[in-house]
């Protein structure tokens, strides 16, 4: 492929002329929200299964766990200093004043998703998988309770 | 884990009381945009490598390809009839009048990412990987040229 064609493709994607290291706060906020949206959409059906509100499907759990495992944490770097505001966000300002605590809480969710994945790979039965899903839910809730505002702020 | 704790976790995630089959058009639009945002963020550094605007890093390419491969296409179902509008979107209304053509164009990008992934797994060298990246870029551009508006519409 010619460089010119690639350049046109990059322009088409809105990537030209900037390096990702120069992302604007609003882009970082949007990216955080995008990752959380993808994570939430993957987790939604699974937590419903764990609550017996939807039939258990190992196929869906495996597929959605793979999604969660792949994307969760992609956005931690997007909480860098300077990204506190710039677009409506539910991220509590506490995140930046106690970043270590926030990262520890966030890391729990990564580990819980890892445990869920291991449970599946190890052939865990429905009960074991639902238990692992519950643990994931607790870590989501833990971090949201502490660091996600109920209403978006500017 | 007790069901009650899980229910609280589900409420905390904004998932209680609804099944995902009842998602609103604005949620579908937001999800489409979230997936594309995650895909774009993964592809950005890679297209820059293919353009020699950033040093080639096999590690980054492998990680970001895994992200693209996992999430690309998650949102096709979110273009279902009834999701044409409901929030600002760049999705061209043509998508719904020529859905088969749109899906064929979208599928090209899934296949190109699959080829990129195979190239990496097969031990492809920098030149081969950059060529596969270029092909991915072409399929992104192809679909965007035809189906993504320059400005968001309501």
């Amino acid at each position: 492929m010619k460089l010119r064609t690639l350049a046109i493709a990059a322009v088409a994607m809105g990537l030209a002329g900037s390096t990702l290291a120069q992302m604007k706060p609003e882009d970082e906020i949007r990216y955080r929200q995008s990752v959380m949206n993808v994570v939430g959409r993957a987790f939604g059906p699974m937590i419903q299964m764990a609550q017996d509100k939807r039939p258990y499907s190992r196929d869906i759990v495996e597929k959605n766990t793979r999604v969660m495992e792949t994307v969760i944490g992609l956005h931690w770097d997007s909480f860098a200093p300077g990204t506190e505001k710039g677009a409506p966000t539910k991220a509590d300002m506490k995140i930046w004043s106690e970043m270590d605590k926030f990262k520890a809480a966030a890391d729990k969710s990564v580990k819980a998703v890892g445990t869920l994945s291991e449970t599946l790979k190890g052939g865990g039965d429905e009960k074991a998988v639902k238990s692992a899903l519950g643990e994931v839910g607790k870590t989501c809730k833990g971090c949201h309770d502490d660091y996600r505002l109920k209403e978006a702020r500017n």
Side-chain angles (χ1 to χ4, degrees), chain A residues 30-105:
Chain A
R30 186 166 151 253
Y31 183 61
R32 292 181 329 222
Q33 293 168 342
S34 293
V35 172
M36 290 311 300
N37 191 7
V38 172
V39 166
R41 184 70 78 108
F43 193 55
M46 298 203 288
I47 192 84
Q48 292 182 330
M49 289 176 202
Q51 292 176 299
D52 296 322
K53 287 187 177 175
R54 167 190 284 245
Y56 180 72
S57 159
R58 175 118 189 163
D59 279 354
I60 292 175
V61 171
E62 285 185 353
K63 184 185 164 215
N64 289 17
T65 297
R66 195 157 54 240
V67 171
M68 286 185 79
E69 195 174 24
T70 306
V71 304
I72 200 164
L74 284 181
H75 59 319
W76 301 146
D77 287 347
S78 296
F79 287 97
T83 64
E84 294 89 337
K85 57 185 180 175
T89 172
K90 289 183 182 169
D92 195 310
M93 285 296 287
K94 270 198 303 178
I95 289 170
W96 289 272
S97 62
E98 49 186 60
M99 186 58 82
D100 287 350
K101 272 185 74 179
F102 168 68
K103 285 199 170 157

Side-chain angles (χ1 to χ4, degrees), chain A residues 72 76 104-114 136 139-140 143:
Chain A
I72 200 164
W76 301 146
D107 196 45
K108 280 187 191 169
S109 66
V110 176
K111 285 195 178 131
V113 173
V136 173
T139 63
C140 297
C143 208

Side-chain angles (χ1 to χ4, degrees), chain A residues 17-18 54 63 81 104 108 120-122 132 139 150 153-154:
Chain A
S18 71
R54 167 190 284 245
K63 184 185 164 215
K108 280 187 191 169
L120 288 165
K121 282 176 193 151
T139 63
K150 299 221 184 302
R153 61 173 175 80
N154 280 301

Side-chain angles (χ1 to χ4, degrees), chain A residues 22-33 78 86-87:
Chain A
Q22 294 164 337
M23 279 282 183
K24 295 172 190 159
E26 57 264 38
D27 293 331
E28 299 302 298
I29 291 168
R30 186 166 151 253
Y31 183 61
R32 292 181 329 222
Q33 293 168 342
S78 296

